[in-house]
Amino acid sequence: MKIYFAASIRGGRDDQGLYLEIVSLLKDYGEVLTEHIADVKISQMGEMEANDFIYERDMGWLKESDIVVAEVTTPSLGVGYELGIAETLKKKVLCLYRESPERSLSAMVRGNKVFQVVDYKELEDLKEIFDKFLK
């Protein structure tokens, strides 16, 4: 199974360590095409490659993927865009949202019946979520 993992880069990198753990868990289910999302070397300024290169590369991976898993706790224009494209491509989409009293998930994500949106509290919750969704 080819997995496209989407998570915030330029929208904020506070959860980079969590992304690393998520990618590690996802590797038990298949090939993570976008494991670089978890790279500690990527700052909030993004990758060093040209924007058009990143766009073409990521759209290729998105088309190639069997499933999309998006960590949507940190708002990100790029992740929102990827989710819209994934819906158009009729990809199976799992959105992970870590509950917080300070923020609320966009209605455009939570209200979309095509996406499976799952709230979680801790990294340990994800193994069970992935077992249900990816097996």
Side-chain angles (χ1 to χ4, degrees):
M1 174 185 317
K2 293 183 180 183
I3 302 166
Y4 188 97
F5 175 62
S8 176
I9 293 180
R10 294 182 186 177
R13 294 296 285 166
D14 292 346
D15 287 335
Q16 177 275 324
L18 175 64
Y19 302 159
L20 188 62
E21 296 290 339
I22 292 172
V23 166
S24 179
L25 287 172
L26 288 173
K27 285 181 175 183
D28 289 341
Y29 301 91
E31 177 187 2
V32 181
L33 300 173
T34 54
E35 67 178 283
H36 70 284
I37 297 294
D39 193 333
V40 70
K41 294 179 210 148
I42 298 177
S43 74
Q44 189 168 332
M45 296 305 293
E47 298 174 69
M48 302 314 294
E49 288 85 7
N51 289 329
D52 57 341
F53 171 82
I54 293 169
Y55 173 82
E56 294 296 332
R57 178 199 65 196
D58 289 8
M59 287 301 101
W61 282 335
L62 192 51
K63 290 173 186 172
E64 180 184 347
S65 69
D66 299 306
I67 193 164
V68 175
V69 176
E71 210 300 336
V72 296
T73 303
T74 300
S76 166
L77 291 170
V79 172
Y81 183 85
E82 291 165 325
L83 290 174
I85 296 295
E87 180 177 6
T88 299
L89 294 172
K90 301 192 181 331
K91 300 291 180 177
K92 188 173 177 183
V93 176
L94 172 63
C95 295
L96 306 169
Y97 181 72
R98 200 171 60 258
E99 299 171 333
S100 168
E102 300 94 45
R103 61 184 153 214
S104 181
L105 181 59
S106 168
M108 295 304 291
V109 174
R110 187 163 310 272
N112 187 325
K113 301 301 182 204
V114 172
F115 302 156
Q116 181 170 344
V117 179
V118 179
D119 295 341
Y120 72 103
K121 292 185 187 212
E122 300 175 1
L123 179 67
E124 292 75 32
D125 300 334
L126 296 179
K127 177 73 170 134
E128 182 179 334
I129 292 167
F130 292 159
D131 280 347
K132 232 183 246 185
F133 190 77
L134 299 172
K135 284 191 173 180

